[in-house]
Each structure stands twice: as structure tokens, then as C-alpha cells.
């Protein structure tokens, strides 16, 4: 633990980009890193780097923190995650939320906010998300939307294999014709009802 912390501090002494490189290196298992080094000094080091972090780094750190077995009980880890959220603004916050939801398992934004954070931190995150969402909507003339879709018998044919679905019109796993174009059009920013049409 001390050796890892010392190595990270050494990287930081050469500039924040060196630590950020380590945190983004796919050879570094952030889940294991958090389980080995979770001292207040380590979290302070990371918090000092938050203004330099890109969205992917923030998402990876939030995901690794949330997956810690004792995250639910570790206030300092929870506060670090909230700090990552609250220092992310505008469309970057939208991207961060989307990245957290794209993990492919139940460690997602909803679980984090509504199950894993205590009430005071939950309210801080929700207030920040609402404030930034209002700002993004005010800055954009069009309507913003996020398209959510089921997969089986909506995006891909299940081939009629239970419990995935019942459609036997196409082979199992075949992408439905035109569905990607439909989803792309639905997700495209549209002019708001109050803006003049051209």
C-alpha cells in the first residue's frame, strides 16, 4: 500500500498528466487499486487531480469506487465520487452519466445515486444534475432526448428463443432492418416547438 501510494505521488511530482496516464492505462486495474490503496492521502491526491481529469477517467474512477465491497459504508469514498460529479458540468456531465450507464451490469448511475449514496450525498448529486440539466437545456435551442431501447425482439431478433422473445421472422441475433436508422433519428436533436421553422 505504501509503495503504491509513493509511486503515485512520484508520478504526480512530474505533473498531473503522469498520474492520469496511470489511471487511464488499461493495464492498471482500478478496482484492485482502490481495494489496496484507500488512504485519505490517496483520495486527497486524486481529488487534487479532478480539475485535470477527462470524462473517461472520472467514469472509470466512479465505477471502481462503486464496485468496492464496502462502498456503501465508506463515507470518504462516497464523498470522492460526489466530488467527481459536482466538478463535472454541462454536456460533459451528460456524457459522464451515459458512461456510467453503459457498463452492462447493475453497477450504474441509478444504483449509485438511489441505493449506494446516503441521503445528503444523494441530494447533492441530484441537485447538481438538475442544475446542470437546466443549464444545458437553456443553452440549446432544440429538444434533447436520450433513447432507451430493449434489445431482444426490439434491436435484435431473438429467433423465438425463450425467455429472450418470441419473434421467429429472422434468425437469432439478426439486427432488425432499419432499427439503427430509426434510433439515430429519434436521438437527433430537434428544434424546439417555440423556435421558427426554416
Amino acid at each position: 500500500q505504501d509503495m503504491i501510494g509513493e509511486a503515485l505521488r512520484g508520478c504526480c511530482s512530474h505533473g498531473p498528466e503522469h498520474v492520469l496516464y496511470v489511471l487511464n492505462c488499461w493495464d492498471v486495474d482500478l478496482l484492485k487499486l482502490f481495494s489496496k490503496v484507500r488512504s485519505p492521502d490517496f483520495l486527497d491526491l486524486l481529488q487534487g487531480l479532478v480539475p485535470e481529469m477527462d470524462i473517461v477517467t472520472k467514469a472509470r474512477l466512479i465505477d471502481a469506487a462503486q464496485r468496492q465491497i464496502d462502498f456503501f459504508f465508506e463515507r470518504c469514498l462516497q464523498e470522492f465520487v460526489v466530488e467527481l460529479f459536482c466538478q463535472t458540468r454541462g454536456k460533459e456531465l451528460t456524457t459522464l452519466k451515459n458512461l456510467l450507464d453503459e457498463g452492462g451490469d447493475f453497477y450504474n448511475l441509478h444504483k449509485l445515486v438511489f441505493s449506494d449514496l446516503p441521503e445528503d450525498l444523494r441530494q447533492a448529486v441530484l441537485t447538481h444534475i438538475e442544475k446542470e440539466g437546466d443549464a444545458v437545456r437553456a443553452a440549446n435551442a432544440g429538444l434533447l432526448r436520450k433513447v432507451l431501447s430493449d434489445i431482444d425482439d426490439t434491436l435484435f431478433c431473438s429467433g423465438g428463443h425463450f425467455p429472450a422473445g418470441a419473434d421467429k421472422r429472422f434468425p437469432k441475433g439478426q439486427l432488425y432492418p432499419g432499427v439503427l436508422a430509426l434510433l439515430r433519428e429519434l436521438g437527433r436533436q430537434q428544434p424546439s416547438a417555440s423556435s421558427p421553422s426554416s
Side-chain angles (χ1 to χ4, degrees):
Q1 176 180 343
D2 292 338
M3 287 175 30
I4 296 171
E6 190 59 39
L8 288 172
R9 280 188 291 279
C11 285
C12 200
S13 69
H14 296 296
E17 65 276 2
H18 293 278
V19 178
L20 296 175
Y21 174 79
V22 169
L23 295 176
N24 278 310
C25 180
W26 290 108
D27 293 336
V28 175
D29 186 338
L30 290 179
L31 185 62
K32 286 183 181 175
L33 179 67
F34 266 107
S35 69
K36 299 286 184 199
V37 183
R38 201 174 326 149
S39 68
D41 289 342
F42 174 64
L43 291 177
D44 286 345
L45 173 77
L46 291 179
Q47 281 183 323
L49 295 170
V50 171
E52 309 291 329
M53 289 181 189
D54 63 9
I55 302 306
V56 173
T57 304
K58 290 178 181 180
R60 291 189 71 217
L61 288 170
I62 291 170
D63 182 67
Q66 184 185 13
R67 291 174 184 271
Q68 295 303 305
I69 293 171
D70 55 353
F71 178 77
F72 189 78
F73 304 105
E74 286 285 334
R75 178 77 184 196
C76 60
L77 212 49
Q78 295 168 343
E79 289 173 345
F80 172 65
V81 164
V82 171
E83 182 72 18
L84 288 169
F85 266 103
C86 290
Q87 287 202 30
T88 308
R89 292 182 168 44
K91 289 186 178 180
E92 287 192 346
L93 182 60
T94 301
T95 302
L96 178 62
K97 294 184 306 180
N98 289 339
L99 286 171
L100 294 174
D101 275 343
E102 292 174 359
D105 57 20
F106 74 103
Y107 288 101
N108 57 34
L109 180 64
H110 187 274
K111 179 183 183 309
L112 174 68
V113 173
F114 294 103
S115 297
D116 296 346
L117 292 177
E119 182 63 28
D120 62 322
L121 296 179
R122 175 182 310 119
Q123 284 308 314
V125 169
L126 290 174
T127 299
H128 180 68
I129 288 172
E130 181 179 18
K131 180 180 137 212
E132 292 301 314
D134 289 343
V136 167
R137 282 187 295 279
N140 289 284
L143 300 172
L144 303 174
R145 42 178 101 82
K146 179 177 180 176
V147 177
L148 302 176
S149 173
D150 184 28
I151 294 175
D152 294 318
D153 284 355
T154 305
L155 187 60
F156 296 102
C157 184
S158 69
H161 296 283
F162 181 81
D167 190 0
K168 296 179 183 178
R169 294 177 297 159
F170 298 100
K172 180 180 180 178
Q174 180 174 333
L175 186 68
Y176 283 110
V179 73
L180 292 180
L182 172 66
L183 294 175
R184 190 170 26 258
E185 285 301 312
L186 289 173
R188 203 171 275 184
Q189 184 173 339
Q190 300 294 321
S192 65
S194 62
S195 67
S197 59
S198 42

